[in-house]
Amino acid sequence: MYEGSARTSSQRPGDNIVGMPRLFLVGFMGAGKSSVGADLADRLGYGFVDLDEEISKRFGAPIREVFSDRGEPVFRSAEREELQRLAGLDGVVVATGGGAFCSPGNREIIHRESGVSVFLDVPWHELRRRLAGDHAGRPMYDDAQQAKSLFGERLPHYRRAMIRVALEGTETPSEVSELVLDALQEAACGI
Ligand code: S3P
């Protein structure tokens, strides 16, 4: 389990760039939150946490099994508790699961202590393509039609993120990281 770094007065590499100690990547399944998050954390010299992995470790089972054996409500309350814990850490990039940012309570936890939410806005046609080839471990995916309707329901939630990074879906994780850093820089300059 990622325990985070102790608060310290010394600067982290990321402080020079954005001065934002806690980033939460949000967006639909397949948006690339985990791969971009790991790359971004590397560049910033931050820790990286995948929220689903933390939940999986907690139950000692893959997410699909947590859903099938214990049910979605148990998963969602673990998700909330893990978010709560991560919201207290400094210098981390967190890749959230696709449903995490759709709960107002979770959004409040994320934003409460100067956490910055970043929406990776990948168009549906690209998400559809990615999910068609990679949905085995995703209990919220039944088929393209159901996923499209879930995507439509969730978009208004994702749009509540502090920062939106508009993507074509053809970018590499490292290109997306660059775009996220640009957007963060712009947002910080505007404050
Ligand atoms: C979920 C998305 C998954 C995972 C869980 C629920 C969702 O994460 O948290 O299966 O509700 O959309 P990814 O977005 O990483 O697939």
Side-chain angles (χ1 to χ4, degrees), residues 4-37:
S5 48
R7 284 173 206 267
T8 153
S9 58
S10 66
Q11 277 209 317
R12 292 165 207 291
D15 291 345
N16 298 328
I17 306 171
V18 292
M20 293 169 177
R22 211 169 301 109
L23 301 177
F24 292 85
L25 299 185
V26 311
F28 202 61
M29 296 177 270
K33 303 175 295 284
S34 302
S35 42
V36 172

Short mmCIF file of all heavy atoms in Angstrom, two decimals, residues 4-37:
data_model
loop_
_atom_site.label_atom_id
_atom_site.label_comp_id
_atom_site.label_asym_id
_atom_site.label_seq_id
_atom_site.Cartn_x
_atom_site.Cartn_y
_atom_site.Cartn_z
N GLY A 4 2.67 7.22 0.99
CA GLY A 4 2.87 8.65 0.74
C GLY A 4 4.16 9.15 1.32
O GLY A 4 4.91 8.41 1.96
N SER A 5 4.42 10.40 1.07
CA SER A 5 5.65 10.98 1.58
C SER A 5 5.31 11.91 2.73
O SER A 5 4.23 12.50 2.76
CB SER A 5 6.33 11.76 0.46
OG SER A 5 5.40 12.60 -0.17
N ALA A 6 6.24 12.03 3.66
CA ALA A 6 6.01 12.90 4.80
C ALA A 6 6.02 14.35 4.33
O ALA A 6 6.69 14.69 3.37
CB ALA A 6 7.12 12.69 5.81
N ARG A 7 5.24 15.18 4.99
CA ARG A 7 5.27 16.60 4.64
C ARG A 7 6.63 17.16 5.01
O ARG A 7 7.14 16.89 6.08
CB ARG A 7 4.18 17.35 5.41
CG ARG A 7 2.81 17.12 4.82
CD ARG A 7 1.75 17.73 5.71
NE ARG A 7 0.48 17.03 5.52
CZ ARG A 7 -0.45 17.40 4.67
NH1 ARG A 7 -0.27 18.48 3.95
NH2 ARG A 7 -1.56 16.73 4.55
N THR A 8 7.22 17.91 4.13
CA THR A 8 8.54 18.44 4.38
C THR A 8 8.64 19.83 3.78
O THR A 8 7.90 20.16 2.87
CB THR A 8 9.63 17.52 3.77
OG1 THR A 8 10.77 18.30 3.49
CG2 THR A 8 9.19 16.91 2.47
N SER A 9 9.57 20.62 4.29
CA SER A 9 9.67 21.98 3.76
C SER A 9 10.54 22.01 2.50
O SER A 9 10.58 22.98 1.79
CB SER A 9 10.25 22.91 4.82
OG SER A 9 11.50 22.41 5.20
N SER A 10 11.27 20.89 2.25
CA SER A 10 12.12 20.91 1.06
C SER A 10 11.26 20.80 -0.19
O SER A 10 10.20 20.18 -0.19
CB SER A 10 13.11 19.74 1.12
OG SER A 10 12.41 18.54 1.02
N GLN A 11 11.75 21.38 -1.26
CA GLN A 11 10.96 21.40 -2.49
C GLN A 11 10.99 20.05 -3.20
O GLN A 11 11.96 19.33 -3.14
CB GLN A 11 11.54 22.44 -3.43
CG GLN A 11 11.04 23.83 -3.12
CD GLN A 11 11.04 24.65 -4.38
OE1 GLN A 11 11.98 24.58 -5.15
NE2 GLN A 11 9.99 25.41 -4.59
N ARG A 12 9.90 19.73 -3.87
CA ARG A 12 9.88 18.58 -4.75
C ARG A 12 10.03 19.11 -6.16
O ARG A 12 9.68 20.25 -6.42
CB ARG A 12 8.52 17.90 -4.65
CG ARG A 12 8.27 17.26 -3.35
CD ARG A 12 6.78 16.94 -3.23
NE ARG A 12 6.40 16.92 -1.84
CZ ARG A 12 6.79 16.00 -0.98
NH1 ARG A 12 7.54 15.01 -1.38
NH2 ARG A 12 6.42 16.06 0.27
N PRO A 13 10.50 18.26 -7.08
CA PRO A 13 10.67 18.74 -8.46
C PRO A 13 9.39 19.36 -9.01
O PRO A 13 9.42 20.36 -9.68
CB PRO A 13 11.02 17.46 -9.23
CG PRO A 13 11.55 16.53 -8.21
CD PRO A 13 10.91 16.88 -6.91
N GLY A 14 8.26 18.75 -8.69
CA GLY A 14 6.99 19.24 -9.24
C GLY A 14 6.61 20.61 -8.72
O GLY A 14 5.87 21.34 -9.38
N ASP A 15 7.08 20.96 -7.54
CA ASP A 15 6.70 22.25 -6.97
C ASP A 15 7.12 23.40 -7.87
O ASP A 15 6.46 24.42 -7.96
CB ASP A 15 7.34 22.45 -5.58
CG ASP A 15 6.74 21.49 -4.57
OD1 ASP A 15 5.67 20.92 -4.87
OD2 ASP A 15 7.33 21.30 -3.51
N ASN A 16 8.27 23.21 -8.53
CA ASN A 16 8.75 24.27 -9.43
C ASN A 16 7.81 24.45 -10.61
O ASN A 16 7.66 25.53 -11.14
CB ASN A 16 10.13 23.92 -9.97
CG ASN A 16 11.13 23.82 -8.86
OD1 ASN A 16 11.01 24.52 -7.87
ND2 ASN A 16 12.10 22.94 -9.02
N ILE A 17 7.24 23.35 -11.02
CA ILE A 17 6.45 23.40 -12.24
C ILE A 17 5.03 23.87 -11.96
O ILE A 17 4.53 24.79 -12.58
CB ILE A 17 6.40 22.01 -12.92
CG1 ILE A 17 7.82 21.51 -13.14
CG2 ILE A 17 5.65 22.08 -14.23
CD1 ILE A 17 7.89 20.09 -13.61
N VAL A 18 4.39 23.26 -11.02
CA VAL A 18 2.99 23.59 -10.85
C VAL A 18 2.60 24.01 -9.43
O VAL A 18 1.60 24.68 -9.23
CB VAL A 18 2.08 22.40 -11.28
CG1 VAL A 18 2.16 22.20 -12.76
CG2 VAL A 18 2.43 21.13 -10.55
N GLY A 19 3.38 23.60 -8.46
CA GLY A 19 3.04 23.97 -7.09
C GLY A 19 1.74 23.37 -6.60
O GLY A 19 1.05 23.94 -5.78
N MET A 20 1.39 22.23 -7.15
CA MET A 20 0.14 21.57 -6.74
C MET A 20 0.47 20.18 -6.22
O MET A 20 0.92 19.33 -6.98
CB MET A 20 -0.81 21.46 -7.93
CG MET A 20 -1.31 22.80 -8.40
SD MET A 20 -2.16 22.61 -9.97
CE MET A 20 -2.72 24.28 -10.26
N PRO A 21 0.29 19.95 -4.97
CA PRO A 21 0.82 18.74 -4.37
C PRO A 21 0.05 17.44 -4.62
O PRO A 21 0.57 16.38 -4.37
CB PRO A 21 0.82 19.05 -2.88
CG PRO A 21 -0.29 20.04 -2.72
CD PRO A 21 -0.34 20.82 -3.98
N ARG A 22 -1.17 17.51 -5.12
CA ARG A 22 -1.96 16.28 -5.20
C ARG A 22 -2.84 16.34 -6.45
O ARG A 22 -3.72 17.18 -6.55
CB ARG A 22 -2.86 16.21 -3.98
CG ARG A 22 -3.17 14.85 -3.50
CD ARG A 22 -3.84 14.92 -2.15
NE ARG A 22 -3.04 15.57 -1.13
CZ ARG A 22 -3.30 16.78 -0.61
NH1 ARG A 22 -4.34 17.46 -0.99
NH2 ARG A 22 -2.51 17.30 0.30
N LEU A 23 -2.58 15.45 -7.36
CA LEU A 23 -3.34 15.47 -8.61
C LEU A 23 -4.19 14.20 -8.72
O LEU A 23 -3.69 13.10 -8.45
CB LEU A 23 -2.40 15.51 -9.81
CG LEU A 23 -1.43 16.69 -9.88
CD1 LEU A 23 -0.52 16.53 -11.09
CD2 LEU A 23 -2.19 18.00 -9.97
N PHE A 24 -5.44 14.37 -9.11
CA PHE A 24 -6.34 13.23 -9.29
C PHE A 24 -6.77 13.19 -10.75
O PHE A 24 -7.41 14.12 -11.23
CB PHE A 24 -7.58 13.37 -8.40
CG PHE A 24 -7.28 13.26 -6.93
CD1 PHE A 24 -6.86 14.36 -6.20
CD2 PHE A 24 -7.40 12.03 -6.29
CE1 PHE A 24 -6.56 14.24 -4.85
CE2 PHE A 24 -7.12 11.91 -4.93
CZ PHE A 24 -6.70 13.02 -4.21
N LEU A 25 -6.39 12.13 -11.44
CA LEU A 25 -6.81 11.98 -12.83
C LEU A 25 -8.18 11.31 -12.85
O LEU A 25 -8.38 10.27 -12.21
CB LEU A 25 -5.81 11.13 -13.61
CG LEU A 25 -4.38 11.70 -13.68
CD1 LEU A 25 -3.52 10.83 -14.59
CD2 LEU A 25 -4.38 13.14 -14.17
N VAL A 26 -9.11 11.93 -13.57
CA VAL A 26 -10.46 11.39 -13.63
C VAL A 26 -10.87 11.22 -15.09
O VAL A 26 -10.27 11.81 -15.99
CB VAL A 26 -11.47 12.29 -12.85
CG1 VAL A 26 -10.95 12.62 -11.46
CG2 VAL A 26 -11.81 13.57 -13.60
N GLY A 27 -11.90 10.41 -15.30
CA GLY A 27 -12.38 10.18 -16.65
C GLY A 27 -12.88 8.75 -16.78
O GLY A 27 -12.76 7.94 -15.84
N PHE A 28 -13.43 8.46 -17.95
CA PHE A 28 -14.09 7.17 -18.17
C PHE A 28 -13.07 6.03 -18.24
O PHE A 28 -11.87 6.25 -18.41
CB PHE A 28 -14.90 7.25 -19.46
CG PHE A 28 -16.00 6.23 -19.55
CD1 PHE A 28 -17.04 6.23 -18.63
CD2 PHE A 28 -16.03 5.29 -20.58
CE1 PHE A 28 -18.08 5.30 -18.71
CE2 PHE A 28 -17.06 4.36 -20.67
CZ PHE A 28 -18.09 4.36 -19.74
N MET A 29 -13.60 4.81 -18.12
CA MET A 29 -12.78 3.61 -18.31
C MET A 29 -12.07 3.73 -19.66
O MET A 29 -12.69 4.13 -20.65
CB MET A 29 -13.67 2.36 -18.37
CG MET A 29 -14.41 2.05 -17.12
SD MET A 29 -15.50 0.58 -17.33
CE MET A 29 -17.03 1.32 -17.90
N GLY A 30 -10.79 3.40 -19.68
CA GLY A 30 -10.06 3.40 -20.94
C GLY A 30 -9.46 4.75 -21.31
O GLY A 30 -8.81 4.88 -22.35
N ALA A 31 -9.65 5.75 -20.45
CA ALA A 31 -9.14 7.09 -20.79
C ALA A 31 -7.62 7.17 -20.65
O ALA A 31 -7.00 8.14 -21.10
CB ALA A 31 -9.81 8.15 -19.93
N GLY A 32 -7.03 6.18 -19.96
CA GLY A 32 -5.56 6.17 -19.83
C GLY A 32 -5.10 6.77 -18.51
O GLY A 32 -3.93 7.15 -18.37
N LYS A 33 -5.98 6.81 -17.52
CA LYS A 33 -5.65 7.45 -16.24
C LYS A 33 -4.42 6.80 -15.58
O LYS A 33 -3.57 7.49 -15.04
CB LYS A 33 -6.86 7.40 -15.30
CG LYS A 33 -8.12 8.05 -15.88
CD LYS A 33 -9.33 7.89 -14.98
CE LYS A 33 -9.84 6.48 -14.78
NZ LYS A 33 -10.59 5.88 -15.88
N SER A 34 -4.36 5.48 -15.63
CA SER A 34 -3.25 4.79 -14.96
C SER A 34 -1.93 4.97 -15.68
O SER A 34 -0.91 5.30 -15.06
CB SER A 34 -3.54 3.30 -14.80
OG SER A 34 -4.73 3.13 -14.07
N SER A 35 -1.93 4.80 -16.99
CA SER A 35 -0.64 4.93 -17.70
C SER A 35 -0.17 6.38 -17.72
O SER A 35 1.02 6.65 -17.53
CB SER A 35 -0.73 4.35 -19.11
OG SER A 35 -1.92 4.71 -19.72
N VAL A 36 -1.09 7.31 -17.89
CA VAL A 36 -0.69 8.72 -17.86
C VAL A 36 -0.26 9.10 -16.44
O VAL A 36 0.74 9.80 -16.24
CB VAL A 36 -1.86 9.63 -18.33
CG1 VAL A 36 -1.53 11.09 -18.11
CG2 VAL A 36 -2.18 9.36 -19.79
N GLY A 37 -0.99 8.61 -15.46
CA GLY A 37 -0.67 8.95 -14.06
C GLY A 37 0.74 8.53 -13.69
O GLY A 37 1.48 9.28 -13.06
#
